[in-house]
Amino acid sequence: MYLLSALSLLCGLMLHGSCSAPNPLSSIRRQTVHYHNELKSFREDGIFNYSTMVVREDLGVLLLGAREVIYALDLNDISVKKTVVYWRVTEEKEKECIGKGVYEAECRNYIRTLHKLNETTMYVCGTNAFSPTCDYMTFVDGQLRLKEEREDGKGKCPFDPFQRYSSLMVADRILYSATYKNFLGNDPVLQRNPDKLHSEQSSKWFNDPTFVHMEFVGESFESQDGADDKIYLFFSENAMEYDFYSKVVMSRVARVCKGDTGGRLILQKKWTSFLKASLDCSLSEASLPPIVQDVFLLKNDDWRKSIFYTVFTAPSSLFQTSLVCAFNVSAIRDIFNEAKFKTEVSVENIYTKWVTHAGEVPVPRPGACINKTPDSSHDQTLQFLQKHQLMDEAVQPMTGGPLLIVKGPLLTRIVVDSIMALDGKNYTVMFVGTENGYVNKAVNYGGEMLIVEGIQLYEEPVPISTLRLSESKGQIYAVSEFGAVQMPVSNCSRHATCVDCVLARDPYCAWDLATKQCSSVTGVSNTALQSLKEGDSTQCPQLDPVMAVNLVLVPGNNIQLLCQAHSNLAQVHWRRSGQILRPNDKYHFADWGLLIVGASTSDAGLYICDSVEQTADRIHNRTVGSYQLQLSPADSTTVTSVDQDGFKVAVILLSLTCFSMMAVIIWTWSKGHLQCFKVAPSTSQSQVERNPLESRHVQNRI
Ligand SMILES: *[C@@H]1O[C@H](CO)[C@@H](O)[C@H](O)[C@H]1NC(C)=O
Ligand SMILES: *[C@@H]1O[C@H](CO)[C@@H](O)[C@H](O)[C@H]1NC(C)=O
């Protein structure tokens, strides 16, 4: 049985293996952890559209909103449901909504907003059949309760269950929201609630925007110059500043002052501090600017050192590319405080053009926080602000360019953790969700991008639509349409040997020489090994040498020697009697190993397979397979399987069942007729797993 299934799998994998191509190292995850059921997850039958989450470490619960329901799940194990509250639309509302021509499925209450108010109370909004409504919800004595103090949700929460928006609850129960505030979903607003201070209804402020994220930055803290706190809003919109015929979507950051009171006569009830600037996270090869998709603020006690980690995707469908750029809060502030403005000028009264504003800028500077009701001394400033919201200069990323570039399935969401490694330094670890159900864990080691691993959270290739991090629990919570999944920030025990552990270059993990285990850096003894930048494993105890597997060579047969590289970044090299083998008519290389076509007696000898991985300044070479081919009149089928240091090395001499199929494959292969499945548009993007014996390993690319 084993033999047959292994053989059929092998034959199948031949097709995959023969399509592999070298990969650009930066885009590949070093290790792929395929879907397995042990991950804690939550999903209920008949409940759909899981959307928003709030981590309440103080209450020990994860609040999860879905269509017409809110759950409180155990933060340690989200498969444990503590309590639930339903919030369904009334029949009357539903009828009214359908009457307006909306699809029945959308005339429900999609929970879109969940914010913490205080110890016991949350603020909740739902689309409520295209009639957004908010309410207070308590978690007391293990029970969730809606207080039924229904409030109008217009301008706080979208009408449309699909439309992206963002909102933010600031400690003093002030809700800032960036959403569309009408039924048709074409009237964007940045609004403060409950006083309803809002943006002007003008395409200069927002031009068909997609709102992505909002953050509060407490800039008044220990401020010398009495600076006010700020609200930052990330979004994309159609650019007005280019004279292109086709539309160009630009990524922006806007900010307003928390103490903004609105103008007296000019900009009455509207922001007097609204400014916006473009975000530059560019890719030299792309013609169109990448579009912002998600933002995570890594907070620092000194707000000037806080950093926005931002996911962008390149709009060109030909090369699916995603980028992560980091923007310093102080760099954004400098643009708003010091850079030039853009201004619109009319050209021969026929059309207008956007140029750098070269004239005087009024004092006080437009966009600066006024912090009291503006008086007539502010008139010029406010008049200027009515016409000039956009800065001339774009905000540049901290490191001058992207921290991470990923080709293949697009990145969707990001959370960022900071961890102190064994060397006493803090490392920033990015966890980035993808459109096909993975979370990639990535670190940038001084310019070298390393995707430590990619973990498949969902069996189905679904987009990750929300990500949250609980630092104190060391857990990440992800949401997709298939429910919520929880994963630890690290699982060091996956690395069985010292070399594996050190080469993983995971800042959370170190090899403890005392316990002989790969463990979390927070719990290791003082004799532990970690080498993040170099991946230096020379101090690891020597591995036992790989024993040669004896095989019988039957002249005329094809021989497969299997060999698995120790990571996706490693390449396999074969040696025979000290000579490096090169592909030719006899030797065919595939991801699963080596194929010797039509073996003859002269092919007897020792074959050694090395897995070679390069880090920034080091080459790691390790022997992972060794085969002694011997001539003998014995029978033609031998199966040998050994397990060395956690690597499964198996060898199968071909039986007749596989032979005919192999012949066909080789023929097609040599003719170049082989069709690859699922090969990315650019050949450099396909990634094939290298362990042909584990059936759950399938071809994938990141
Ligand atoms: C809600 O879930 C249903 C069923 O999975 C899906 O077809 C629909 O697209 C989802 N709608 C939204 C707004 O996510
Ligand atoms: C929390 O906020 C709610 C709503 O404003 C209020 O009714 C309640 O008294 C507050 N509870 C505490 C403990 O402050």
Side-chain angles (χ1 to χ4, degrees):
M1 269 317 283
Y2 173 74
L3 176 66
L4 273 180
S5 59
L7 280 173
S8 58
L9 193 60
L10 216 54
C11 293
L13 277 154
M14 269 300 293
L15 285 155
H16 283 226
S18 49
C19 294
S20 74
N23 294 286
L25 291 187
S26 67
S27 274
I28 301 175
R29 35 171 108 92
R30 188 176 178 277
Q31 274 171 345
T32 309
V33 181
H34 291 277
Y35 177 78
H36 57 107
N37 282 320
E38 297 104 79
L39 285 173
K40 295 176 176 120
S41 64
F42 178 82
R43 167 182 196 176
E44 249 184 6
D45 283 345
I47 301 293
F48 302 100
N49 312 103
Y50 302 89
S51 54
T52 174
M53 276 187 289
V54 174
V55 172
R56 289 292 305 252
E57 281 159 345
D58 52 346
L59 304 175
V61 291
L62 178 76
L63 297 167
L64 171 65
R67 194 172 76 187
E68 314 210 301
V69 55
I70 302 141
Y71 297 99
L73 309 174
D74 187 331
L75 207 47
N76 294 315
D77 180 354
I78 61 165
S79 63
V80 177
K81 179 172 82 179
K82 288 197 161 178
T83 177
V84 59
V85 66
Y86 294 92
W87 182 3
R88 301 193 175 94
V89 289
T90 58
E91 224 170 89
E92 186 192 340
K93 271 265 177 264
E94 190 177 344
K95 267 195 200 131
E96 195 185 310
C97 174
I98 295 169
K100 287 179 187 162
V102 179
Y103 290 119
E104 196 178 331
E106 293 180 19
C107 291
R108 304 286 199 88
N109 192 21
Y110 292 77
I111 305 299
R112 300 290 311 268
T113 307
L114 265 179
H115 290 297
K116 173 184 173 173
L117 270 182
N118 58 29
E119 289 70 37
T120 54
T121 312
M122 269 68 62
Y123 196 64
V124 192
C125 307
T127 57
N128 198 27
F130 271 74
S131 151
T133 307
C134 302
D135 202 351
Y136 298 85
M137 181 178 74
T138 57
F139 181 72
V140 178
D141 300 331
Q143 292 299 314
L144 281 178
R145 269 194 203 91
L146 287 165
K147 287 177 101 181
E148 314 268 337
E149 291 173 20
R150 304 285 147 94
E151 289 181 356
D152 186 2
K154 280 191 200 70
K156 299 178 190 170
C157 167
F159 285 65
D160 181 340
F162 288 92
Q163 203 166 40
R164 260 199 103 170
Y165 93 105
S166 181
S167 69
L168 177 73
M169 183 66 74
V170 173
D172 50 10
R173 297 182 195 180
I174 307 286
L175 181 78
Y176 291 83
S177 48
T179 183
Y180 285 85
K181 67 170 196 286
N182 61 345
F183 177 83
L184 291 176
N186 56 6
D187 188 4
V189 70
L190 168 63
Q191 179 169 302
R192 184 171 68 196
N193 305 285
D195 71 350
K196 300 255 160 69
L197 194 72
H198 60 276
S199 50
E200 192 157 280
Q201 212 174 3
S202 148
S203 56
K204 281 189 191 164
W205 289 53
F206 294 118
N207 190 19
D208 202 359
T210 301
F211 297 116
V212 167
H213 191 77
M214 281 168 116
E215 280 290 349
F216 171 81
V217 179
E219 299 184 14
S220 64
F221 184 69
E222 289 180 351
S223 142
Q224 308 288 315
D225 53 4
D228 191 12
D229 296 338
K230 307 283 186 325
I231 313 299
Y232 288 89
L233 166 66
F234 291 80
F235 63 104
S236 59
E237 64 174 345
N238 289 342
M240 300 191 83
E241 66 267 31
Y242 296 113
D243 334 301
F244 295 149
Y245 290 107
S246 56
K247 79 174 184 189
V248 179
V249 177
M250 292 294 288
S251 301
R252 312 271 204 211
V253 57
R255 74 141 203 222
V256 290
C257 301
K258 183 170 159 247
D260 198 329
T261 59
R264 212 165 34 101
L265 295 171
I266 308 160
L267 292 173
Q268 204 181 13
K269 294 223 90 180
K270 290 175 190 150
W271 300 104
T272 61
S273 56
F274 178 88
L275 290 179
K276 62 181 178 180
S278 297
L279 293 167
D280 188 354
C281 178
S282 53
L283 194 70
S284 47
E285 70 206 54
S287 52
L288 288 169
I291 299 170
V292 59
Q293 301 296 340
D294 196 30
V295 180
F296 183 89
L297 177 64
L298 187 66
K299 294 193 179 95
N300 191 294
D301 291 339
D302 177 0
W303 65 265
R304 290 166 199 84
K305 295 190 184 136
S306 293
I307 297 166
F308 289 110
Y309 285 85
T310 308
V311 172
F312 291 83
T313 55
S316 156
S317 58
L318 196 57
F319 306 100
Q320 288 224 324
T321 306
S322 313
L323 311 152
V324 176
C325 279
F327 299 95
N328 217 307
V329 172
S330 48
I332 300 179
R333 181 211 39 191
D334 290 350
I335 294 282
F336 289 133
N337 287 4
E338 291 156 25
K340 294 199 160 70
F341 289 85
K342 269 208 194 306
T343 195
E344 197 177 16
V345 293
S346 136
V347 180
E348 290 162 353
N349 287 326
I350 303 172
Y351 64 99
T352 63
K353 202 176 161 65
W354 286 84
V355 298
T356 308
H357 174 77
E360 295 250 318
V361 171
V363 180
R365 184 179 160 92
C369 300
I370 296 173
N371 290 350
K372 56 174 182 177
T373 310
D375 54 38
S376 54
S377 72
H378 295 100
D379 281 359
Q380 279 195 320
T381 299
L382 298 195
Q383 274 159 6
F384 184 91
L385 201 78
Q386 274 185 310
K387 295 202 186 97
H388 306 88
Q389 292 84 27
L390 181 61
M391 308 312 298
D392 188 46
E393 225 176 288
V395 185
Q396 298 298 322
M398 279 169 66
T399 46
L403 287 178
L404 185 69
I405 303 171
V406 172
K407 308 233 178 204
L410 295 173
L411 302 180
T412 56
R413 297 292 183 269
I414 186 168
V415 293
V416 178
D417 195 15
S418 178
I419 169 88
M420 189 189 283
L422 274 196
D423 60 9
K425 292 190 190 131
N426 279 312
Y427 289 84
T428 299
V429 187
M430 300 173 266
F431 294 89
V432 208
T434 70
E435 63 176 350
N436 65 340
Y438 281 81
V439 167
N440 290 325
K441 174 177 181 179
V443 191
N444 189 305
Y445 290 122
E448 186 207 355
M449 297 179 254
L450 175 68
I451 303 176
V452 176
E453 57 195 6
I455 295 158
Q456 189 183 8
L457 298 189
Y458 293 92
E459 212 169 355
E460 309 84 354
V462 284
I464 305 250
S465 56
T466 311
L467 270 187
R468 295 282 182 265
L469 166 72
S470 165
E471 274 173 65
S472 69
K473 300 275 179 204
Q475 297 288 324
I476 285 174
Y477 305 93
V479 161
S480 79
E481 69 176 274
F482 288 102
V485 178
Q486 164 186 1
M487 68 173 246
V489 290
S490 67
N491 183 354
C492 303
S493 63
R494 216 159 26 223
H495 309 295
T497 67
C498 178
V499 174
D500 284 327
C501 184
V502 173
L503 269 188
R505 299 165 71 206
D506 182 330
Y508 294 94
C509 300
W511 182 262
D512 192 332
L513 290 164
T515 62
K516 297 196 176 67
Q517 275 176 349
C518 192
S519 312
S520 163
V521 281
T522 53
V524 289
S525 70
N526 50 11
T527 53
L529 295 177
Q530 193 183 47
S531 172
L532 297 179
K533 284 206 171 87
E534 294 81 22
D536 178 2
S537 62
T538 50
Q539 291 187 51
C540 280
Q542 284 282 308
L543 292 176
D544 294 337
V546 174
M547 300 292 284
V549 175
N550 291 322
L551 296 174
V552 175
L553 186 156
V554 180
N557 265 6
N558 294 337
I559 299 171
Q560 280 186 311
L561 302 178
L562 300 194
C563 181
Q564 180 201 0
H566 66 266
S567 95
N568 294 335
L569 297 184
Q571 288 185 331
V572 161
H573 292 179
W574 285 92
R575 285 181 286 147
R576 184 191 168 201
S577 323
Q579 297 289 124
I580 299 273
L581 299 185
R582 310 255 172 245
N584 57 23
D585 285 351
K586 179 180 285 293
Y587 302 121
H588 293 264
F589 294 111
D591 279 341
W592 47 261
L594 173 68
L595 175 70
I596 304 173
V597 180
S600 66
T601 53
S602 64
D603 289 319
L606 181 67
Y607 291 79
I608 291 174
C609 162
D610 295 321
S611 170
V612 183
E613 180 171 353
Q614 192 167 357
T615 57
D617 28 46
R618 206 173 270 270
I619 288 179
H620 311 269
N621 200 334
R622 90 200 216 203
T623 298
V624 287
S626 176
Y627 302 100
Q628 184 75 51
L629 291 193
Q630 295 165 325
L631 289 170
S632 157
D635 71 55
S636 66
T637 303
T638 313
V639 175
T640 320
S641 174
V642 288
D643 204 329
Q644 284 155 339
D645 299 315
F647 287 100
K648 285 212 185 72
V649 181
V651 184
I652 295 159
L653 285 185
L654 287 172
S655 74
L656 285 171
T657 3
C658 198
F659 184 81
S660 50
M661 192 174 165
M662 290 293 296
V664 173
I665 290 165
I666 289 159
W667 178 80
T668 352
W669 191 1
S670 60
K671 297 268 180 191
H673 287 171
L674 201 57
Q675 295 285 314
C676 297
F677 349 120
K678 280 173 85 178
V679 172
S682 149
T683 52
S684 65
Q685 291 164 23
S686 84
Q687 174 62 42
V688 179
E689 285 310 315
R690 292 181 169 93
N691 187 349
L693 287 186
E694 287 199 38
S695 56
R696 64 181 155 90
H697 285 225
V698 292
Q699 181 183 17
N700 75 83
R701 56 203 168 89
I702 84 163

